[in-house]
């Protein structure tokens, strides 16, 4: 207690000055409308800035959680979209179907989607690969197709309990059947090992009509639904076979920035694969 009194006495001139300053400010701002308005405006600005910073900090803290929720919702919407596309396609093409036998609801989709995050990307040489944080314990299996928000990514090659390695479209081992949008002629998608943004579609008939910017999509595939975007035509290049055209395709997925992907779970894959292997 004695130390406290000693401190107050020793610094009494500073304490008196502070008290007088506080009283002065109070008198100025309470009896002068202009100064009071300036004070209130400044105080509001400071409080507003504080709340803005607090809100940004809170948003940043919850950003990862919110992003995961959005990706899970996107996976659900993708499944519903493919289900609806299949339903509408069957409805338009089946002219013998009687309305009395139509179901009132959209059938369950053949495809579901497993959301995953990229943990590693290797662009060292032609044998590129991507590692994601979902594995067998999450339902991931080899040979599952993988897409991003923009288009095709690749195919699952190997799986551990918690991780999976994906062969992307920018790997010479990757092959896929593709076609131009609004065309029934199919070609083969591959990568020549040069540009990470450019793949090739070959074996297109010479009579195939195309323009730069045309969309290239999946056609017949064991692991991908129909009409998933692969990329966009940029130019025609020299073909190894004079009977076919080969086109450069700018890949829709940006592999430099891809961070979140969807792994496609085709519930009919095992049945189809087993049946086709039985006749070989």
């Amino acid at each position: 207690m004695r130390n406290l009194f000693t401190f107050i006495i020793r610094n009494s001139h500073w304490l008196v000055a502070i008290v007088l300053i506080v009283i002065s400010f109070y008198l100025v701002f309470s009896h002068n409308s202009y100064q009071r308005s300036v004070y209130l405006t400044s105080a509001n600005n400071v409080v507003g800035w504080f709340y803005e910073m607090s809100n940004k900090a809170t948003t940043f803290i919850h950003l990862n959680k919110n992003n995961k929720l959005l990706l899970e919702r996107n996976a659900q919407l993708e499944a519903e979209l493919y289900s609806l596309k299949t339903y509408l396609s069957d409805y338009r093409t089946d002219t013998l179907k009687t309305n009395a036998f139509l179901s009132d609801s959209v059938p369950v989709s053949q495809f579901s989607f497993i959301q995953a995050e990229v943990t590693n990307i290797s662009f060292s040489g032609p044998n590129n690969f991507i590692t994601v944080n979902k594995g067998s314990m999450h339902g991931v299996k080899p040979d599952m197709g993988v897409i991003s928000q923009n288009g095709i990514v690749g195919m699952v090659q190997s799986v551990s309990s918690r991780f999976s390695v994906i062969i992307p479209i920018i790997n010479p081992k990757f092959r896929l059947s593709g076609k131009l949008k609004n065309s029934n002629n199919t070609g083969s998608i591959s990568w020549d090992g040069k540009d990470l943004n450019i793949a090739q579609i070959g074996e297109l008939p010479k009579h195939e009509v195309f323009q730069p910017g045309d969309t290239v999509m999946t056609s017949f595939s064991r692991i991908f639904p129909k009409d998933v975007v692969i990329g966009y035509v940029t130019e025609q290049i020299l073909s190894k076979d004079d009977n076919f055209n080969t086109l450069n395709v700018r890949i829709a997925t940006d592999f430099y920035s891809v961070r979140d992907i969807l792994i496609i779970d085709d519930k009919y894959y095992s049945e189809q694969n087993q049946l086709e292997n039985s006749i070989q």
Side-chain angles (χ1 to χ4, degrees):
M1 195 68 176
R2 181 182 300 174
N3 291 336
L4 177 60
F5 285 123
T6 302
F7 174 80
I8 293 174
I9 294 172
R10 183 180 301 170
N11 298 280
S12 59
H13 56 288
W14 289 109
L15 295 175
V16 171
I18 292 172
V19 171
L20 291 175
I21 291 172
V22 171
I23 294 173
S24 298
F25 275 111
Y26 171 76
L27 294 174
V28 169
F29 291 120
S30 62
H31 294 86
N32 296 276
S33 57
Y34 173 75
Q35 283 82 357
R36 184 166 59 251
S37 65
V38 171
Y39 164 76
L40 292 175
T41 301
S42 302
N44 288 337
N45 288 336
V46 172
V47 172
W49 177 85
F50 176 78
Y51 281 125
E52 182 181 1
M53 292 299 103
S54 176
N55 183 61
K56 286 182 178 180
T58 303
T59 301
F60 179 78
I61 292 171
H62 294 91
L63 183 62
N64 189 41
K65 177 182 178 181
N66 292 336
N67 188 48
K68 287 183 178 179
L69 292 174
L70 287 173
L71 289 170
E72 290 172 0
R73 179 57 178 163
N74 184 65
Q76 180 183 353
L77 291 175
E78 287 281 0
E80 293 176 358
L81 175 62
Y82 284 116
S83 177
L84 183 59
K85 282 183 177 180
T86 302
Y87 175 78
L88 292 176
S89 176
D90 293 343
Y91 181 77
R92 286 194 297 266
T93 56
D94 192 355
T95 56
L96 298 179
K97 188 178 289 185
T98 305
N99 288 337
F101 295 97
L102 289 179
S103 173
D104 291 334
S105 60
V106 178
V108 177
S109 175
Q110 176 182 349
F111 304 99
S112 60
F113 298 87
I114 303 169
Q115 178 270 328
E117 297 176 9
V118 174
T119 59
N120 186 33
I121 297 180
S122 173
F123 291 152
S124 56
N127 296 317
N128 303 314
F129 67 86
I130 299 172
T131 306
V132 297
N133 65 344
K134 293 294 173 66
S136 57
M137 64 183 297
H138 306 98
V140 181
K141 302 175 183 177
D143 298 331
M144 283 184 168
V146 182
I147 62 174
S148 68
Q149 302 289 338
N150 298 318
I152 292 290
V153 172
M155 178 185 69
V156 176
Q157 181 187 42
S158 55
V159 176
S160 69
S161 60
R162 293 181 176 85
F163 297 94
S164 300
V165 172
I166 297 166
I167 293 181
I169 191 173
I170 49 173
N171 186 309
K173 298 178 183 177
F174 185 87
R175 288 291 186 275
L176 178 66
S177 177
K179 67 182 184 68
L180 299 180
K181 187 177 182 180
N182 301 322
S183 172
N184 293 321
N185 298 314
T186 62
S188 177
I189 301 293
S190 61
W191 182 61
D192 61 8
K194 297 178 180 179
D195 190 333
L196 293 177
N197 296 310
I198 303 295
Q200 290 71 42
I201 180 169
E203 302 176 13
L204 287 174
K206 278 288 187 181
H207 60 79
E208 181 76 68
V209 179
F210 67 90
Q211 296 290 335
D214 284 350
T215 303
V216 180
M217 316 181 78
T218 57
S219 55
F220 300 107
S221 174
R222 279 186 172 187
I223 61 175
F224 291 102
K226 290 182 180 179
D227 299 333
V228 179
V229 174
I230 299 172
Y232 308 94
V233 174
T234 58
E235 60 184 347
Q236 183 176 0
I237 60 175
L238 184 64
S239 178
K240 296 179 180 179
D241 190 334
D242 293 337
N243 296 318
F244 297 97
N245 285 332
T246 301
L247 309 176
N248 270 343
V249 178
R250 177 166 293 279
I251 303 170
T253 296
D254 182 359
F255 288 98
Y256 289 105
S257 62
V258 64
R259 292 294 177 269
D260 301 290
I261 56 90
L262 296 174
I263 301 171
I264 303 172
D265 184 6
D266 180 357
K267 66 179 182 179
Y268 300 149
Y269 174 80
S270 297
E271 178 184 347
Q272 179 182 347
N273 190 47
Q274 183 177 1
L275 181 62
E276 291 175 349
N277 289 335
S278 67
I279 62 173
Q280 294 180 0

